[in-house]
Amino acid sequence: ESCYHEALAIQRDSLGKEHPHTARTLMYLGDIRLKQGDALGANVYYQQSLALRKMIFGDNHPDTVRTLMSVAWLAQLNGQIEDAGKMYAHALRIFEQTCGPNHPDTGNAINHIGSWHLKCRDDVSRAREFLDRSVLIHEGLLGTDHPYTLRTLAHHAELLMAMGETQGARKTLSRVVEKRCSLLGHEHPDSVLTVVCLSWVDDRSEE
């Protein structure tokens, strides 16, 4: 984290406070704080980056909307359900208009909306509509091993569990565990989290 703070100071001095690289470094710092479990600290950096990108690029630029997605995710984590849903929906509209219906960014927004419907609204039908579409987009464009694809599959496994399809969820999560451990290593947080989820599914299978 200290390296990014040093980079941020250099960028502000040499490039100015209103440069795209400065906004990007603020996003990285937000990501680090979020991984450390500091949601409030992450939000400070994300909001700074969002304001800067709006000023540099405008409201509808993909970089601006990607930052908005991070702000929406934090809002969801903090229980601001309606705000998060509105931001996700706005992001999807912009991505569909600027990037098209079959772009990875569009698929990512669709994935988040599907997960939002599942976790925040307990609406399995709507969640499946979005998550099925997200899987098709990511697998078709990025392949089966891409992080976006694996994240969407992990959410799809949650959906299958909610639908009572335990074996399908286990099969999907096993695939995600195998790919993430191969690509990221066994000790990566995403790999560890998926292993924990798979263990939980196994326990449910034995009940």
Side-chain angles (χ1 to χ4, degrees):
E1 182 179 356
S2 61
C3 293
Y4 282 112
H5 279 294
E6 183 178 349
L8 181 63
I10 293 172
Q11 287 169 344
R12 282 173 169 170
D13 287 340
S14 60
L15 302 174
K17 296 181 179 180
E18 301 174 0
H19 193 277
H21 290 349
T22 304
R24 183 173 59 191
T25 302
L26 288 167
M27 276 295 298
Y28 290 153
L29 284 166
D31 291 342
I32 291 172
R33 287 298 177 90
L34 185 59
K35 289 178 181 178
Q36 293 172 343
D38 182 6
L40 290 176
N43 190 52
V44 170
Y45 287 116
Y46 285 156
Q47 292 287 358
Q48 289 179 9
S49 181
L50 179 61
L52 190 53
R53 283 178 163 169
K54 282 184 175 180
M55 183 176 61
I56 296 170
F57 301 120
D59 291 349
N60 296 339
H61 189 278
D63 283 351
T64 304
V65 183
R66 290 186 196 106
T67 311
L68 180 66
M69 290 283 294
S70 295
V71 173
W73 171 237
L74 278 181
Q76 180 176 328
L77 290 178
N78 291 328
Q80 298 168 315
I81 305 305
E82 295 301 325
D83 289 342
K86 290 176 182 177
M87 284 187 275
Y88 287 142
H90 175 72
L92 177 57
R93 286 194 298 271
I94 299 303
F95 281 138
E96 286 180 330
Q97 291 170 6
T98 58
C99 303
N102 295 314
H103 188 276
D105 283 331
T106 305
N108 191 36
I110 292 169
N111 176 48
H112 277 284
I113 292 174
S115 179
W116 180 86
H117 276 292
L118 181 63
K119 295 177 179 178
C120 302
R121 284 287 176 265
D122 198 26
D123 188 339
V124 172
S125 178
R126 289 287 284 167
R128 183 167 192 171
E129 175 186 339
F130 284 100
L131 290 174
D132 283 351
R133 182 180 166 196
S134 182
V135 170
L136 288 174
I137 290 173
H138 286 148
E139 285 189 336
L141 293 174
L142 304 174
T144 58
D145 296 349
H146 192 277
Y148 277 9
T149 305
L150 297 177
R151 181 171 56 192
T152 303
L153 288 172
H155 286 163
H156 204 272
E158 293 183 60
L159 171 66
L160 292 173
M161 282 299 296
M163 296 170 61
E165 298 180 16
T166 307
Q167 292 306 314
R170 189 188 188 286
K171 181 178 179 180
T172 300
L173 277 178
S174 296
R175 174 183 167 188
V176 175
V177 166
E178 178 185 357
K179 296 295 184 180
R180 279 181 167 170
C181 288
S182 175
L183 294 168
L184 305 174
H186 292 271
E187 297 182 1
H188 189 279
D190 288 347
S191 302
V192 174
L193 177 60
T194 316
V195 170
V196 171
C197 291
L198 180 58
S199 297
W200 180 79
V201 170
D202 284 340
D203 290 340
R204 292 291 298 273
S205 300
E206 294 173 0
E207 292 180 357

